[in-house]
Amino acid sequence: MSQNSKLNLLDFIDNSLSSINFSSKLIEDNIYLVCRGTTNKQNFIAENFNISNREITHIGIGLYEKDSLNIYNISIDKKINNSSLIIETLKDFISINDIFHIEIWEINANKENKIKLKSILNRYIEKEIGFDHNFDLNDNENLYCSEFVAKILNELNIFKYHSVKKKSNRILKKLTEKEEFEYFPVDFFIQNSNLTQVYRNNLTKNN
């Protein structure tokens, strides 16, 4: 990608972000699930493993503080302090070359929930979390994006989320060496009617 293309993408993201009036949409005591969709992963992840949402391919936990939405997420290709758990601004989170979709979902919470969540997140930040290439739910030292978010929310204990099982195809058998694949879909939360979608945007950029 050329330097001019990168600048055009950043300009496009800036314009997209400027259309979001965070002060009227986001509440500091609430908790947010921030999702993005990328074309590179859509056909494989969203089409084959999501429950019903065919657009989101990555998810993180968002905390809105001091007019900034900070997103805690597991990255497959970035590391901070030798950990795949990274904290990004929304602009950084969506600064992906092939991004085409953003969603933000709100969990109604209170100060006690948020204090507990930050304590849980800080405990994970102190670890060196690897990316879970084996998709093993029993491995708490290596996580993938939706596994991380689901486990954090289950520890928070506002709602309980459950993994799903899928019969392994040839690729999954090779990857997991199991006949049945158990995992958290990126849209694991989608059937919880207590969550509210506060933002959704298909990012269609003019080239």
Side-chain angles (χ1 to χ4, degrees):
M1 192 178 195
S2 69
Q3 185 64 28
N4 285 339
S5 296
K6 288 180 180 179
L7 290 174
N8 289 338
L9 176 63
L10 290 176
D11 288 342
F12 171 69
I13 289 170
D14 283 338
N15 291 334
S16 298
L17 293 181
S18 66
S19 69
I20 311 173
N21 183 358
F22 284 130
S23 62
S24 67
K25 292 180 181 293
L26 305 188
I27 300 170
E28 289 211 355
D29 284 342
N30 284 343
I31 298 162
Y32 295 90
L33 303 184
V34 187
C35 312
R36 72 182 181 222
T38 54
T39 55
N40 187 45
K41 295 179 179 178
Q42 184 186 21
N43 288 339
F44 181 65
I45 293 177
E47 292 293 338
N48 291 295
F49 298 104
N50 284 3
I51 296 170
S52 60
N53 188 309
R54 296 294 180 261
E55 294 170 311
I56 61 174
T57 60
H58 186 68
I59 185 170
I61 295 177
L63 295 181
Y64 183 60
E65 299 175 301
K66 297 179 181 178
D67 295 325
S68 177
L69 183 62
N70 297 312
I71 302 156
Y72 298 71
N73 66 108
I74 298 290
S75 173
I76 193 171
D77 53 10
K78 296 180 185 177
K79 284 197 172 183
I80 295 178
N81 297 326
N82 207 34
S83 177
S84 295
L85 172 55
I86 64 175
I87 307 170
E88 297 180 293
T89 64
L90 181 59
K91 182 175 180 178
D92 289 335
F93 184 78
I94 66 174
S95 292
I96 305 294
N97 290 345
D98 61 337
I99 189 167
F100 73 94
H101 185 76
I102 308 170
E103 291 183 16
I104 302 176
W105 294 77
E106 182 178 72
I107 301 172
N108 289 326
N110 54 44
K111 284 188 177 180
E112 288 74 21
N113 296 141
K114 190 168 183 180
I115 290 170
K116 183 179 179 180
L117 174 61
K118 292 184 75 171
S119 176
I120 296 169
L121 289 170
N122 286 335
R123 177 158 45 82
Y124 277 81
I125 289 168
E126 290 171 358
K127 301 179 183 180
E128 290 184 1
I129 302 294
F131 186 85
D132 186 3
H133 293 279
N134 295 318
F135 298 91
D136 182 358
L137 295 182
N138 295 315
D139 181 358
N140 291 316
E141 302 303 316
N142 299 287
L143 303 168
Y144 53 90
C145 68
S146 50
E147 179 186 15
F148 165 70
V149 175
K151 285 186 173 182
I152 292 289
L153 294 180
N154 281 344
E155 283 193 53
L156 187 59
N157 203 28
I158 298 178
F159 310 112
K160 280 293 182 183
Y161 295 98
H162 303 284
S163 57
V164 301
K165 293 182 179 180
K166 178 184 182 75
K167 186 176 180 180
S168 295
N169 58 22
R170 180 177 56 82
I171 296 174
L172 289 176
K173 281 183 183 178
K174 186 176 181 180
L175 182 66
T176 66
E177 299 181 347
K178 296 178 181 178
E179 294 293 326
E180 192 173 57
F181 181 51
E182 184 175 3
Y183 67 105
F184 284 103
V186 179
D187 65 342
F188 68 87
F189 60 91
I190 205 73
Q191 295 172 334
N192 187 339
S193 60
N194 294 294
L195 273 66
T196 304
Q197 188 180 81
V198 295
Y199 184 75
R200 175 187 177 93
N201 190 7
N202 284 322
L203 302 175
T204 306
K205 177 168 72 75
N206 294 323
N207 293 320

